[in-house]
């Protein structure tokens, strides 16, 4: 009996020693592993607690690489069954004037099957100082939220660029406890075009991200938008856009079309756009210019020559017809045929009616295509 008591006492003593020293040892091993994943980064773990019935709990994790990223996690637990739970992580990424693919050079994620079978995130705050998605880099971007317990999401991006579009001070918020959120973008730039005060609602269902009730100011008018986006490698999208009282003269100026034609007036209408990544599958739009209309001057002689051949009219007559054509009402249809965008334009004025088509051949979204 005495021997049994000694054995039990020794076992308890050893168990206590293991319980005392195993947590710091695990913290050291975890820190080393994180340093291997996040190359040349500074890693710190506040403390580690080992619970025999639950698993491991890490507190106050920070992973920092100056000028690249700063990741903080208040609490991370690894439960039996390889389930990872994160509470209140915050991520700050800054790679100014560099494509996001260069971020991969700072992280060694490894190959093969994922370590954890499931991941739960109680709340996530992202602050992306600069994010540049370069279409020509062939980047496959896939966002897969595999958790159903995301209490909140707070995403901030000081700047974002993709396909020639630049966004500033993006704010996206979900939650708490909701898969519906809201977003705002004070400024969007594309060449000389500025779209301001963009705001709307957003929801995430499985891998479909939807933006609805979106409003914005552009071309001295207003834009309303509903958008559905597939969050996967195919990047499919469906957008319905409504334009109200847009300034045509400003449109010509912002898109550098002044060498081809000048035009004044206001434009209202809507369009439906469907596609995947840079490829357009469906484009269907209808617009009108209400009274009092405006002025149209076509300067592109090559365009007038092509119109003359198509209509069997002398080029000199077409030049005179569109020299200072004053229209009272007008309409425009927008379609996509055989890889080209087709605009059908009809106008009426005191000098008579004018109708013609404008075709943009082999059109692709993004500069240079993809």
């Amino acid at each position: 009996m005495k021997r049994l008591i000694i054995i039990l006492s020794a076992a308890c003593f050893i168990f206590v020693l293991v319980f005392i020293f195993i947590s710091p040892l695990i913290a050291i091993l975890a820190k080393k592993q994180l340093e291997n994943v996040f190359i040349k980064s500074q890693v710190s773990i506040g403390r580690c607690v080992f619970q025999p019935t639950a698993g491991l709990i890490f507190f106050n994790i920070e992973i920092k690489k100056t000028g690249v990223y700063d990741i903080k996690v208040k609490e991370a637990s690894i439960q039996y069954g390889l389930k990872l739970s994160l509470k209140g992580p915050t991520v700050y990424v800054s790679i100014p004037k560099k494509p996001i693919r260069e971020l991969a050079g700072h992280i060694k994620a490894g190959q093969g099957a994922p370590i954890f079978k499931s991941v739960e995130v109680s709340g996530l705050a992202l602050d992306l100082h600069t994010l540049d998605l370069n279409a020509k880099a062939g980047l496959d971007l896939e966002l897969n939220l595999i958790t159903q317990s995301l209490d909140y999401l707070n995403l901030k991006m000081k700047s974002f660029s993709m396909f020639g579009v630049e966004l500033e001070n993006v704010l996206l918020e979900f939650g708490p406890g909701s898969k519906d959120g809201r977003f705002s973008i004070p400024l969007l730039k594309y060449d000389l075009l500025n779209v301001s005060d963009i705001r709307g609602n957003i929801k995430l269902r499985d891998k479909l991200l939807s933006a609805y009730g979106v409003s914005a100011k552009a071309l001295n008018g207003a834009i309303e938008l509903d958008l559905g986006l597939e969050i996967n490698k195919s990047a499919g999208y469906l957008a319905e856009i409504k334009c109200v009282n847009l300034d045509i003269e400003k449109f010509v100026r912002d898109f550098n079309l002044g060498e081809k034609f000048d035009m004044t007036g206001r434009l209202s209408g809507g369009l439906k756009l469907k596609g995947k990544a840079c490829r357009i599958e469906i484009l269907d739009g209808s617009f009108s210019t209400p009274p009092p209309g405006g002025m149209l001057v076509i300067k592109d002689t090559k365009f007038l020559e092509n119109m003359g051949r198509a209509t069997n009219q002398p080029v000199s007559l077409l030049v005179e017809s569109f020299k200072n054509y004053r229209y009272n009402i007008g309409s425009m249809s927008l379609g996509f045929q055989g890889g080209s965008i087709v605009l059908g334009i009809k106008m009426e004025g005191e000098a008579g009616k004018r109708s013609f088509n404008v075709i943009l051949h082999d059109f692709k979204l993004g500069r240079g295509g993809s």
Side-chain angles (χ1 to χ4, degrees), residues 89-314:
T90 62
V91 180
Y92 174 84
V93 177
S94 176
I95 44 175
K97 298 181 181 180
K98 295 181 180 179
I100 193 174
R101 68 182 186 278
E102 294 196 9
L103 184 61
H106 301 280
I107 300 175
K108 186 179 180 181
Q111 303 294 328
I115 298 175
F116 302 105
K117 294 183 179 179
S118 65
V119 179
E120 289 187 356
V121 182
S122 65
L124 178 61
L126 294 175
D127 189 346
L128 304 181
H129 187 272
T130 301
L131 182 59
D132 183 0
L133 299 182
N134 189 343
K136 295 182 180 179
L139 175 68
D140 287 331
L141 178 65
E142 180 172 5
L143 173 62
N144 183 12
L145 294 179
I146 59 177
T147 174
Q148 297 297 320
S149 62
L150 188 65
D151 289 336
Y152 68 87
L153 171 63
N154 183 287
L155 169 64
K156 296 179 181 178
M157 287 189 289
K158 185 175 182 181
S159 65
F160 172 92
S161 61
M162 184 177 184
F163 303 142
V165 178
E166 297 180 7
L167 309 179
E168 295 183 3
N169 298 318
V170 178
L171 174 63
L172 171 62
E173 294 179 312
F174 277 105
S178 172
K179 288 301 177 69
D180 292 70
R182 62 185 182 88
F183 70 95
S184 63
I185 306 171
L187 184 61
L188 177 152
K189 296 180 180 179
Y190 184 83
D191 285 335
L192 297 177
L193 174 67
N194 289 341
V195 181
S196 62
D197 197 22
I198 306 170
R199 60 184 68 246
N201 303 303
I202 193 167
K203 64 181 178 181
L204 180 64
R205 298 292 185 271
D206 296 325
K207 289 189 177 182
L208 180 62
L209 184 68
S210 301
Y212 59 97
V214 181
S215 62
K217 298 176 182 178
L219 301 173
N220 297 326
I223 295 177
E224 300 175 2
L225 167 70
D226 289 323
L227 171 67
L229 177 64
E230 296 176 6
I231 309 299
N232 51 35
K233 292 181 181 180
S234 66
Y237 55 85
L238 174 62
E240 294 186 2
I241 306 172
K242 181 180 179 181
C243 304
V244 181
N245 207 32
L246 302 185
D247 187 338
I248 299 175
E249 185 177 11
K250 184 171 176 55
F251 173 85
V252 173
R253 184 170 63 250
D254 288 355
F255 283 90
N256 293 311
L257 301 174
E259 293 183 358
K260 296 182 178 296
F261 70 98
D262 286 330
M263 188 173 181
T264 62
R266 293 281 176 167
L267 188 69
S268 297
L271 65 86
K272 180 179 180 180
L273 176 65
K274 182 181 180 181
K276 292 183 178 180
C278 295
R279 301 189 305 274
I280 297 175
E281 296 176 352
I282 297 175
L283 178 61
D284 184 16
S286 178
F287 300 86
S288 63
T289 57
M295 187 75 69
L296 172 63
V297 179
I298 297 180
K299 306 175 183 178
D300 191 339
T301 55
K302 185 177 180 181
F303 174 78
L304 293 174
E305 289 173 359
N306 292 335
M307 183 187 297
R309 284 193 292 268
T311 59
N312 294 319
Q313 298 183 63

